Amino acid sequence: MANATAAGSAACGELHQGLACQRLTLPCGDTVLVALQGAHVLSWVSQGRERLFLSHDNLWDGQAAIRGGVPVCFPQFNQRGTLPKHGFARNMSWVAGEAVASGDVAHIDFTLSTNPDTLAIWQQAFVAVLRVALAPGQLTLTLTVNNTEAQNDLHFTGALHTYLAVDDIDLTELRGLGGRPEWDAVADVHGLADEALYFDGEFDRVYDSAANPLHLQDGTSTLQIEQSPSWANSVVWNPGEGKCAALADMPAHGFARMLCVEAAQVFEPISISAGGQWVGWQRLTVS
């Protein structure tokens, strides 16, 4: 599949570690690479820099979950339910639509619908669409969930589990969550977030999402992070050195090069009435 405008925006298929992928490229050189497995964003290069962390120790077997990039966690967050951890969507093959490009922007939709494999795990009719939209210095991921049941409500939790690349976690700070309710999952304590978050050791916290953008400061680079109000939570995670060493699909010092900042629905499931639709997005902008 390929689609291009006269300005040069283009989409093309390629393989990455044996996985079928689609790549969008803009005239400015920004590019995003998405695997059909999980509609998983593997890479986003903007202004000549890779903005996402991707582990080199993944199995790349087309079945195991991919560590890094942006996994789509659906229809369950983590192990908060009876489904596989973080749901099944990240392990299944999605269908890529035709790329749409206009001047210096482009997007492509990936779709996962009810099928025998999903019904074997989850007795629910649905259509999920992830739109990957690229503009100069900006990546927007929009998840749309349609309840195609005739009568029953659809209930789900989930996340856009974004792994951001940083040069050094010790020199990284995240601002914008100050005063928001915070659950520290490591210590299992509740409180209010500090204005600036710093990372020394394992960090796993869930916040009530903020109305204003977050800012990730990584040396001289700043990334603005926004999410739609339809996601109730923001999750910030770094495994730290100890837990990282125990993860078979992470390099030993991978923790020092990444920080997850996720648009998420953790505690209270989203409910979609029969025939209804829900939309949630996360937007990353190079400042």
Side-chain angles (χ1 to χ4, degrees), residues 115-136:
N115 61 63
D117 290 334
T118 68
L119 288 172
I121 302 171
W122 195 42
Q123 298 299 311
Q124 173 71 50
F126 73 96
V127 176
V129 179
L130 183 74
R131 173 164 291 186
V132 179
L134 194 61

Side-chain angles (χ1 to χ4, degrees), residues 21 99-100 110 148 169 183 198:
C21 298
V100 176
F110 298 83
T148 55
I169 192 64
W183 175 52
Y198 301 97

Side-chain angles (χ1 to χ4, degrees), residues 194-254:
D194 293 332
E195 177 52 38
L197 304 180
Y198 301 97
F199 310 97
D200 180 15
E202 184 181 359
F203 194 103
D204 188 359
R205 302 184 188 181
V206 182
Y207 301 89
D208 285 6
S209 59
N212 296 320
L214 311 183
H215 292 90
L216 181 70
Q217 186 72 40
D218 167 33
T220 59
S221 176
T222 302
L223 191 70
Q224 179 175 283
I225 306 165
E226 302 169 88
Q227 66 185 62
S228 62
S230 49
W231 296 107
N233 306 116
S234 296
V235 177
V236 182
W237 179 70
N238 181 284
E241 186 173 9
K243 188 165 186 177
C244 181
L247 298 173
D249 56 0
M250 276 281 277
H253 296 285

Side-chain angles (χ1 to χ4, degrees), residues 9-241:
S9 300
C12 63
E14 64 180 76
L15 293 178
H16 179 84
Q17 299 288 347
L19 298 183
C21 298
Q22 289 291 321
R23 181 183 295 277
L24 286 177
T25 302
L26 298 183
C28 67
D30 284 13
T31 183
V32 63
L33 181 68
V34 188
L36 297 191
Q37 179 189 335
H40 196 124
V41 179
L42 302 178
S43 169
W44 170 42
V45 175
S46 181
Q47 297 180 7
R49 176 180 173 177
E50 176 58 65
R51 303 289 171 170
L52 300 178
F53 170 87
L54 183 65
S55 173
H56 297 298
D57 292 349
N58 283 299
L59 290 179
W60 303 113
D61 63 358
Q63 298 179 357
I66 299 167
R67 174 79 64 183
V70 188
V72 177
C73 302
F74 173 84
Q76 178 180 293
F77 184 84
N78 208 329
Q79 294 171 301
R80 293 176 168 269
T82 60
L83 298 176
K85 183 177 180 180
H86 284 318
F88 51 76
R90 62 182 182 156
N91 296 328
M92 292 189 171
S93 182
W94 294 50
V95 177
E98 289 291 325
V100 176
S102 177
D104 61 355
V105 299
H107 72 260
I108 186 170
D109 290 345
F110 298 83
T111 302
L112 178 67
S113 304
T114 312
N115 61 63
D117 290 334
T118 68
L119 288 172
I121 302 171
W122 195 42
Q123 298 299 311
Q124 173 71 50
F126 73 96
V127 176
V129 179
L130 183 74
R131 173 164 291 186
V132 179
L134 194 61
Q138 187 174 88
L139 176 67
T140 304
L141 305 178
T142 304
L143 180 64
T144 300
V145 180
N146 297 282
N147 180 2
T148 55
E149 294 277 357
Q151 296 181 330
N152 299 324
D153 290 351
L154 182 156
H155 305 282
F156 76 97
T157 56
L160 297 173
H161 197 313
T162 306
Y163 286 72
L164 299 170
V166 300
D167 286 338
D168 186 346
I169 192 64
D170 290 337
L171 302 178
T172 297
E173 68 176 36
L174 182 67
R175 293 183 174 271
L177 287 165
R180 304 302 295 164
E182 171 191 79
W183 175 52
D184 183 337
V186 177
D188 193 17
V189 295
H190 293 265
L192 297 178
D194 293 332
E195 177 52 38
L197 304 180
Y198 301 97
F199 310 97
D200 180 15
E202 184 181 359
F203 194 103
D204 188 359
R205 302 184 188 181
V206 182
Y207 301 89
D208 285 6
S209 59
N212 296 320
L214 311 183
H215 292 90
L216 181 70
Q217 186 72 40
D218 167 33
T220 59
S221 176
T222 302
L223 191 70
Q224 179 175 283
I225 306 165
E226 302 169 88
Q227 66 185 62
S228 62
S230 49
W231 296 107
N233 306 116
S234 296
V235 177
V236 182
W237 179 70
N238 181 284
E241 186 173 9

